[in-house]
């Protein structure tokens, strides 16, 4: 599908679950025609159950709902949770569900990592926030710091068409999508932001998101702030960060200081010497795990989405970001990140870096190359093409009885 820059959008920054979940649930509550939803994680906790109630109520009043969750990220949904939705007419799909092998999940690679909601074709949500309680600040020390955006305007059409294609939307759903008369004209150009929907797949768009980061870094003139939870990019992006810093751009990188997975910090620390000695300011966010995937540059460019800057997101997973040209949104996100830098981050000082001994350098080179080439290594393993599986609605008891009677009659006739 053809996707290009769209003018006339209004984009609102949503920080953490406290801002994100009420906006999404409210949009679903007001839905009149359709809801499209993709997520990596959906848990049966307070947040997941609240989403379940809103979707069920919308389906029961005739809203067409299609949703896809990842088979690795959401492996434990109960039959009752899913069947109550499908019984109400919700089209529910798993992306690449796989059976457990000795109690372990084996479908680790090529995950559906996008988080997208589109309601009535007039409002969309894109970002890094999953449907789980760990995105609320009151979850505890492991509550995640994260971001999403609420979008209105012409770009919503691109987002919705893409999700429809991705989930194999049913023909009757496309009828409401094609009829723009369902959409209030006031929402066609509700703001001034220019936006581009960018996605990563394993087909023709393998490095689109990374390319936009590279282009941004090569063109930056004043300053760049990148906040990324799982930071372990390739040579090109590291080189462009260093090049930008050395031509006078203030480049600041925020990574996890209190990671949800220890290996995350180990990987990022391997890059500290190269970046800090090259002039990049590196900060560790220490209040709680950082889960955001956002960036701003100069006074106009910004991005929010699901893509980390690591081998999984850049080389294997299905991701989606919005690239935004808008001074007001840039300032809003910039102010938020500046607050994090001032209140919750510790700068990595050059004099505190480990000395560059031959042993340390050799270890870093070996680990770096292993992690960077991990996607290719994963490709050597026994592979399968990820498949989408639709969950059928449960068979009604009376239908089961009717089927049994018809089967018995057939046996009698034969």
């Amino acid at each position: 599908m053809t996707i290009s820059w769209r003018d006339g959008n209004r984009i609102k920054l949503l920080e953490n679950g406290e801002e994100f979940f009420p906006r999404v649930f409210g949009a679903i509550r007001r839905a009149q025609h359709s809801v499209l939803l993709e997520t990596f994680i959906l848990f049966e906790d307070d947040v997941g159950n609240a989403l379940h109630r809103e979707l069920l109520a919308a389906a029961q009043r005739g809203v067409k709902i299609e949703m896809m969750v990842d088979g690795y990220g959401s492996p434990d949904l109960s039959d009752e949770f899913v069947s109550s939705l499908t019984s109400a007419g919700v089209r529910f799909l798993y992306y690449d569900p796989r059976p457990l092998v000795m109690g372990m999940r084996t479908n680790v690679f090529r995950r559906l990592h996008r988080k997208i909601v589109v309601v009535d074709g007039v409002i969309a949500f894109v970002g890094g926030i999953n449907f789980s309680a760990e995105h609320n600040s009151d979850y505890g020390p492991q509550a995640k710091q994260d971001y999403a955006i609420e979008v209105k305007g012409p770009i919503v059409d691109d987002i919705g068409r893409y999700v429809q294609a991705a989930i194999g939307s049913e023909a009757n759903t496309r009828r409401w999508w094609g009829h723009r008369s369902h959409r209030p004209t006031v929402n066609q150009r509700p703001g001034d932001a220019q936006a581009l929907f960018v996605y990563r797949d394993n087909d023709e768009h393998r490095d689109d998101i990374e390319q936009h980061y590279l282009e941004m870094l090569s063109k930056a003139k004043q300053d760049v702030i990148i906040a990324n939870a799982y930071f372990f990019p390739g040579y090109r992006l590291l080189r462009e960060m260093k090049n930008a810093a050395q031509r006078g751009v203030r480049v600041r990188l925020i990574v996890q200081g209190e990671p949800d997975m220890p290996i995350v910090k180990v990987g990022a620390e391997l890059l500290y010497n190269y970046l800090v000695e090259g002039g990049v300011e590196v900060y560790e966010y220490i209040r709680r795990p950082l889960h955001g995937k956002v960036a701003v540059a100069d006074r106009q460019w910004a991005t929010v989405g699901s893509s980390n800057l690591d081998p999984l997101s850049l080389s294997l997973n299905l991701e989606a970001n919005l690239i935004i040209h808008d001074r007001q949104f840039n300032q809003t996100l910039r102010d938020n990140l500046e607050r994090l830098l001032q209140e919750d981050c510790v700068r990595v000082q050059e004099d505190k870096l480990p000395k560059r001994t031959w042993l340390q350098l050799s270890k870093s080179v070996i680990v770096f190359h292993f992690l960077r080439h991990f996607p290719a290594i994963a490709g050597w393993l026994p592979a399968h093409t990820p498949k989408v599986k639709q969950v059928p609605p449960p068979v009604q008891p009376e239908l089961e009885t009717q089927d049994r009677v018809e089967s018995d009659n057939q046996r009698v006739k034969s």
Side-chain angles (χ1 to χ4, degrees), residues 365-386:
V365 169
I366 292 170
V367 175
F368 177 83
H369 281 277
F370 173 79
L371 292 177
R372 279 308 311 159
H373 293 287
F374 177 74
I377 295 170
W380 300 340
L381 301 175
H384 68 283
T385 301

Side-chain angles (χ1 to χ4, degrees), residues 8 10 122 152-154 180 182-191:
R10 186 170 75 227
V122 298
K152 292 183 178 179
R180 296 184 178 226
H182 283 160
R183 306 181 201 178
T185 55
V186 70
N187 282 335
Q188 292 305 299
R189 293 180 62 88

Side-chain angles (χ1 to χ4, degrees), residues 33 43 63 86-87 99 158 182 264 272 299 405-406:
H33 307 290
F43 288 161
V63 175
T86 57
S87 294
D158 289 340
H182 283 160
V264 172
Y272 285 179
R299 293 294 179 268
V405 169
E406 290 177 355

Side-chain angles (χ1 to χ4, degrees), residues 207 209-219 235-238 240-241:
D207 63 352
I209 295 174
E210 184 178 17
Q211 287 297 329
H212 279 276
Y213 269 95
L214 292 170
E215 181 182 10
M216 174 271 290
L217 287 164
S218 69
K219 293 181 177 179
Y235 303 113
R236 292 181 301 170
L237 201 144
L238 291 170
E240 287 296 346
M241 291 177 69

Side-chain angles (χ1 to χ4, degrees), residues 19 40 56 110 145 160 192 210 218 263 291 293 317 319 323 342 384 403 410:
E19 295 184 359
F40 178 59
L56 190 61
R110 298 177 178 83
Q145 175 68 21
D192 299 319
E210 184 178 17
S218 69
I263 188 63
H291 197 256
K293 307 98 169 53
N317 291 341
E319 306 283 2
I323 310 296
Q342 293 175 14
H384 68 283
D403 289 343
Q410 280 294 115

Side-chain angles (χ1 to χ4, degrees), residues 76-264:
D76 299 320
L77 296 177
S78 68
D79 291 342
E80 181 182 0
F81 184 95
V82 176
S83 64
S84 57
L85 292 172
T86 57
S87 294
V90 174
R91 184 169 178 251
F92 189 102
L93 303 102
Y94 278 109
Y95 181 83
D96 196 30
R98 304 284 292 177
L100 297 178
V101 177
M102 293 186 291
M104 298 177 61
R105 290 176 287 176
T106 59
N107 51 343
V108 180
F109 309 121
R110 298 177 178 83
R111 305 315 325 150
L112 168 71
H113 198 243
R114 297 186 296 258
K115 295 91 175 174
I116 300 175
V117 182
V118 184
V119 178
D120 284 346
V122 298
I123 184 169
F125 301 86
V126 179
I129 301 178
N130 292 295
F131 289 98
S132 64
E134 61 191 357
H135 287 275
N136 285 326
S137 298
D138 61 5
Y139 183 76
Q142 291 301 304
K144 299 182 185 301
Q145 175 68 21
D146 210 342
Y147 301 92
I149 45 178
E150 175 186 298
V151 189
K152 292 183 178 179
I155 195 67
V156 175
D157 187 70
D158 289 340
I159 300 169
R161 285 188 297 114
Y162 175 77
V163 175
Q164 281 194 307
I167 66 176
S169 186
E170 294 176 333
N172 61 342
T173 310
R174 295 196 64 83
R175 287 203 297 271
W176 63 258
W177 195 260
H179 285 68
R180 296 184 178 226
S181 59
H182 283 160
R183 306 181 201 178
T185 55
V186 70
N187 282 335
Q188 292 305 299
R189 293 180 62 88
D192 299 319
Q194 187 182 52
L196 177 69
F197 180 68
V198 185
Y199 58 94
R200 202 216 79 83
D201 59 23
N202 290 302
D203 190 12
E204 297 179 354
H205 301 273
R206 294 172 180 265
D207 63 352
D208 288 19
I209 295 174
E210 184 178 17
Q211 287 297 329
H212 279 276
Y213 269 95
L214 292 170
E215 181 182 10
M216 174 271 290
L217 287 164
S218 69
K219 293 181 177 179
K221 292 179 172 57
Q222 297 173 318
D223 76 323
V224 172
I225 306 175
I226 297 173
N228 206 266
Y230 305 102
F231 182 82
F232 204 83
Y235 303 113
R236 292 181 301 170
L237 201 144
L238 291 170
R239 186 172 59 248
E240 287 296 346
M241 291 177 69
K242 183 176 179 178
N243 289 345
Q246 292 184 340
R247 68 173 185 268
V249 178
R250 187 183 186 189
V251 181
R252 286 175 284 177
L253 170 67
I254 306 173
V255 295
Q256 295 200 56
E258 295 292 332
D260 49 359
M261 294 183 290
I263 188 63
V264 172

